[in-house]
Amino acid sequence: GENVEQHPSTLSVQEGDSAVIKCTYSDSASNYFPWYKQELGKRPQLIIDIRSNVGEKKDQRIAVTLNKTAKHFSLHITETQPEDSAVYFCAALTGRRALTFGSGTRLQVQP
Amino acid sequence: GAGVSQSPRYKVAKRGQDVALRCDPISGHVSLFWYQQALGQGPEFLTYFQNEAQLDKSGLPSDRFFAERPEGSVSTLKIQRTQQEDSAVYLCASSPYSGANTGELFFGEGSRLTVL
């Protein structure tokens, strides 16, 4: 089955700096790659996603890039703010119709 | 309702007890998923329903775990003879789409199970 690895497990940045989180996946048939943000004790919420026919997608301060050949995708957050502090999960969708999630990255934005 | 609703939010069970966790998906959502999230980890897939049909239960860790969605709406995840390793947050998610176009999942707040 699909295996998704996520790095780093923790990331601390100064307010205003950029943050990058990287994920790799194993199943070349995976075709959909969402990123979820989970604040402490809250439900995961989708922040951005990308499909395999696109290399990059941007939404204000967040962007996702996908390299199908290397089977990795990354989340980029620019001009980080304290409210960006949370756990971020990448995921990949294969033909089984269920998302496989990474282990998460705890992002801490220092004011 | 406005979102996915799960109950109970917190459940403490003694080892060996049976528990039932309920999920009310967003009205009209075709797909429903159950995930298990251990402390500090990402959600792990348990099972998937398309309407009332359970199309994938490959993630259920043992035959003590059972899920149903008899009318294609509310779903129940049942865990029999709970063990300490079952302690986790159980997340339910729904989607208006089915098959390979499941897309965005709308998660509930989760049910936190603690087995003593």
Side-chain angles (χ1 to χ4, degrees), chain B residues 5-110:
Chain B
S5 177
Q6 291 188 245
S7 61
R9 289 292 316 280
Y10 304 92
K11 176 69 178 177
V12 179
K14 291 183 179 178
R15 190 173 55 182
Q17 280 186 328
D18 297 348
V19 300
L21 308 176
R22 176 187 169 104
C23 173
D24 275 279
I26 294 172
S27 179
H29 276 200
V30 172
S31 294
L32 185 145
F33 300 83
W34 283 98
Y35 283 84
Q36 180 190 59
Q37 187 174 27
L39 190 63
Q41 297 297 314
E44 295 273 350
F45 170 75
L46 293 177
T47 187
Y48 162 64
F49 290 86
Q50 182 176 308
N51 296 309
E52 70 278 3
Q54 188 175 20
L55 298 186
D56 190 339
K57 55 181 181 180
S58 61
L60 296 176
S62 77
D63 59 8
R64 296 185 296 104
F65 287 70
F66 171 76
E68 61 183 5
R69 193 187 185 197
E71 297 178 359
S73 177
V74 171
S75 178
T76 304
L77 176 67
K78 297 179 180 177
I79 309 172
Q80 297 177 322
R81 304 181 304 281
T82 52
Q83 304 294 316
Q84 283 190 317
E85 60 262 30
D86 300 336
S87 296
V89 175
Y90 290 85
L91 292 167
C92 175
S94 69
S95 165
Y97 307 110
S98 63
N101 294 319
T102 302
E104 178 177 3
L105 296 186
F106 296 85
F107 281 89
E109 298 272 2

Side-chain angles (χ1 to χ4, degrees), chain A residues 18 39-40 61 64 72 76 85 91 100 107:
Chain A
S18 294
E39 297 177 10
L40 190 63
R61 296 187 298 107
V64 57
H72 67 70
H76 304 253
S85 296
T100 299
L107 174 64

Side-chain angles (χ1 to χ4, degrees), chain A residues 62-104:
Chain A
I62 59 174
V64 57
T65 59
L66 171 65
N67 184 327
K68 287 172 56 180
T69 303
K71 290 190 283 189
H72 67 70
F73 55 114
S74 301
L75 177 71
H76 304 253
I77 306 174
T78 59
E79 300 170 31
T80 53
Q81 301 167 4
E83 52 265 37
D84 294 330
S85 296
V87 180
Y88 291 81
F89 294 99
C90 63
L93 178 68
T94 63
R96 75 185 300 198
R97 296 162 293 197
L99 288 174
T100 299
F101 285 85
S103 55

Side-chain angles (χ1 to χ4, degrees), chain A residues 20-40:
Chain A
V20 181
I21 303 170
K22 299 181 179 181
C23 289
T24 60
Y25 60 98
S26 60
D27 189 343
S28 57
S30 292
N31 56 15
Y32 173 66
F33 307 92
W35 287 87
Y36 282 79
K37 176 182 180 182
Q38 187 175 30
E39 297 177 10
L40 190 63

